Amino acid sequence: MTHFDTVILGGGPGGYVAAIRCAQQGMKTAVVEKQWWGGVCLNVGCIPTKSLLRNAEIAQILSREKKTFGIMGDATCDYGAAFSRSRTVSDRMVQGIHFLMKKNKITEYSGTGEFKGPKKLCVTFDTGVMENLTFDHCIIATGATPAMLPGITPGPRVMTYEQLIMSPNLPRSVIIVGGGAIGTEFAYILASYGVSVTVVETQGRLLPMEDAEVSAEVTKAYKALGITIHTSSSVDSIIQDMKAAKVTISSGENTQQIEADQVMIATGFQPRTTGYGLESTGVELTEQGAISIDAMMKTSVPGLYAIGDVTGKLMLAHVAEAQGVVAAEAIAGGAPLPLDYDMIPRAIYGEPQVASFGYTEAQAKEKGNDVRVSKFPFAANGKAWALGKGTGFVKIVADATHNEILGAHMVGPDVTELLPELTLACTWDLTADEIARTIHAHPTLSEALKEAAEGVGGQMTNF
């Protein structure tokens, strides 16, 4: 039996970051991970997906945009090569995790961890050998699993994104159930390689969690790619046979059946709380089945913390990382800043990209703010046109009294890279006026931020 100051159960983005910060605070630290070092993100999520999206963007340039860039002749894009590159990128990043564990003198346990009470964890290795660990503190970072539709059974023609991202072969046609971040990213990838794509979303628009104008811009772009979109539509049933998957969808009183080679379910995630012996710890769960935590990531049991998707907060890798830092510093006796989940940045990497944080105009007004909104189009940004991407906009929602930033919603070229300036300003109470007075290099996409910030004060220059 080995004792540690802190054991982290789960080696994903939250888990490994928490482990590093614990080790940096002088704690004897271990991480227990049964399958994916680096988590879903590095193995079958964020990283390989972004690699595939880059290849998809190039495929679009070589097909739909070749005239714009003076590309002569025909080019064939091999999805198998894109898949192989995505796995190489993923493997490279995973190896980096092991390097960081070694660098920070963190003990790795590649096995399944199961609680045997609130202060003991039993690790079972693939060989069947078991080892017991005891600890003063444990950070639970077990992540989440893809949610399936009620009554729908996975099969050869019905899968989650995990199966699709690990396949080097593409179907001729696919129905994606869910028009959120994962659904729209995969829709873009698949359509870029000639797959017939249909997206079914229960809400009234794609990306229903984003600003309505952002959703409209993405919908317009996706329809131009030939993607069929059914909104305000629910899936009643899926029948699989040797030839196709037959999906019955309904919208109000209208019902129809659509077919495709495969169906990808992208309807969200469920916190992964079973199979770890949590019941032996006494940890409380929320009504949604997530581990209940306070602002310092403490659970209901002293010494036990939880971070990442298993907490059911905002299920994003960078949220898990931030929670991991808070938990580690709290364990070390520090006073970390609590997270403001409303103001955490969100990023969607299809084409056009989507980036946002904070409140929409409607949400800001609901909270009693006197709101001022400014929107600057990339059609008036020289760098955007130089890239061949003069569509989309930057939209800033500010408090009309002091011009403090309450939220921002962007759609367009590389807007995910523009978020930090705005979230930094929001975090440290900088106003739109102060962004407007900051010199931005020309020509850059970031000038759109400056222009939108100027617009909050009523003095936009280039539009």
Side-chain angles (χ1 to χ4, degrees):
M1 186 176 295
T2 307
H3 186 82
F4 291 90
D5 296 322
T6 304
V7 171
I8 291 88
L9 180 58
Y16 85 77
V17 168
I20 292 170
R21 187 54 59 94
C22 284
Q24 290 172 339
Q25 302 291 323
M27 301 180 218
K28 182 181 179 182
T29 306
V31 178
V32 180
E33 171 56 50
K34 67 176 181 178
Q35 183 181 18
W36 283 328
W37 288 90
V40 164
C41 180
L42 266 61
N43 289 271
V44 291
C46 320
I47 300 305
T49 304
K50 304 312 163 278
S51 175
L52 291 173
L53 282 161
R54 174 59 174 157
N55 278 73
E57 182 182 10
I58 293 172
Q60 287 290 342
I61 291 173
L62 293 175
S63 56
R64 297 178 70 247
E65 301 174 41
K66 59 190 297 183
K67 184 178 180 180
T68 299
F69 294 100
I71 297 171
M72 307 300 290
D74 295 326
T76 301
C77 293
D78 179 12
Y79 183 77
F83 170 79
S84 295
R85 191 177 82 86
S86 75
R87 299 320 309 162
T88 299
V89 171
S90 174
D91 292 343
R92 180 184 182 89
M93 299 306 295
V94 170
Q95 288 304 312
I97 300 301
H98 294 299
F99 167 78
L100 291 171
M101 297 297 99
K102 183 177 181 180
K103 174 185 175 183
N104 289 281
K105 297 180 174 57
I106 297 165
T107 303
E108 296 183 31
Y109 289 92
S110 294
T112 301
E114 183 178 355
F115 284 102
K116 300 296 181 180
K119 294 293 183 181
K120 182 178 178 182
L121 197 69
C122 178
V123 181
T124 303
F125 302 98
D126 290 341
T127 59
V129 174
M130 298 181 181
E131 183 173 347
N132 290 316
L133 313 179
T134 57
F135 48 80
D136 297 323
H137 306 91
C138 180
I139 301 175
I140 304 165
T142 50
T145 57
M148 289 297 295
L149 291 174
I152 302 300
T153 304
R157 296 191 181 276
V158 177
M159 62 185 65
T160 69
Y161 78 92
E162 288 186 6
Q163 287 80 48
L164 192 56
I165 201 173
M166 291 299 289
S167 174
N169 303 309
L170 291 177
R172 291 170 300 176
S173 57
V174 65
I175 297 169
I176 299 175
V177 182
I182 292 177
T184 54
E185 288 186 358
F186 273 92
Y188 179 78
I189 292 170
L190 297 172
S192 297
Y193 282 91
V195 177
S196 176
V197 179
T198 299
V199 179
V200 180
E201 168 57 46
T202 58
Q203 301 299 311
R205 53 189 172 89
L206 289 183
L207 303 178
M209 302 303 291
E210 300 299 327
D211 179 86
E213 290 186 287
V214 168
S215 295
E217 192 79 17
V218 172
T219 299
K220 179 181 177 181
Y222 276 35
K223 286 183 176 179
L225 289 176
I227 297 171
T228 301
I229 300 170
H230 296 278
T231 54
S232 301
S233 300
S234 59
V235 173
D236 298 331
S237 66
I238 302 177
I239 299 174
Q240 306 176 62
D241 59 30
M242 296 297 293
K243 295 182 178 180
K246 301 176 181 179
V247 181
T248 300
I249 63 174
S250 60
S251 179
E253 297 180 356
N254 299 318
T255 300
Q256 62 176 306
Q257 189 178 79
I258 54 179
E259 294 186 9
D261 288 344
Q262 290 183 341
V263 176
M264 188 185 87
I265 306 297
T267 53
F269 294 85
Q270 296 174 329
R272 185 187 280 117
T273 57
T274 59
Y276 298 98
L278 285 176
E279 60 278 3
S280 72
T281 67
V283 165
E284 292 181 3
L285 303 182
T286 67
E287 293 182 1
Q288 292 74 35
I291 296 179
S292 180
I293 57 171
D294 67 8
M296 294 295 104
M297 313 302 148
K298 296 178 181 178
T299 71
S300 58
V301 177
L304 295 186
Y305 294 70
I307 61 173
D309 291 358
V310 76
T311 67
K313 297 293 185 181
L314 199 55
M315 293 188 177
L316 300 170
H318 50 276
V319 174
E321 292 180 7
Q323 289 179 317
V325 171
V326 170
E329 293 183 351
I331 289 171
L337 292 174
L339 303 184
D340 183 350
Y341 294 100
D342 287 339
M343 295 297 157
I344 286 175
R346 304 185 301 274
I348 302 171
Y349 298 85
E351 187 62 44
Q353 289 186 6
V354 174
S356 61
F357 81 97
Y359 305 131
T360 64
E361 181 178 357
Q363 290 171 336
K365 288 179 178 178
E366 288 173 2
K367 292 183 176 294
N369 295 286
D370 184 11
V371 172
R372 185 173 291 155
V373 176
S374 173
K375 187 168 74 170
F376 181 82
F378 281 108
N381 178 271
K383 180 61 178 294
W385 281 112
L387 295 172
K389 298 180 179 181
T391 60
F393 55 83
V394 172
K395 182 177 181 179
I396 294 178
V397 180
D399 166 65
T401 303
H402 302 291
N403 288 350
E404 292 180 345
I405 298 172
L406 302 176
H409 310 277
M410 300 183 284
V411 57
D414 294 328
V415 291
T416 57
E417 301 293 341
L418 302 182
L419 272 170
E421 179 177 346
L422 295 174
T423 54
L424 178 68
C426 182
T427 300
W428 300 108
D429 296 327
L430 298 179
T431 67
D433 299 326
E434 288 162 315
I435 291 178
R437 294 190 186 104
T438 301
I439 297 174
H440 290 65
H442 174 79
T444 61
L445 296 172
S446 68
E447 288 178 287
L449 302 182
K450 177 179 180 291
E451 295 278 358
E454 287 178 342
V456 171
Q459 296 180 325
M460 194 179 289
T461 302
N462 287 293
F463 184 70

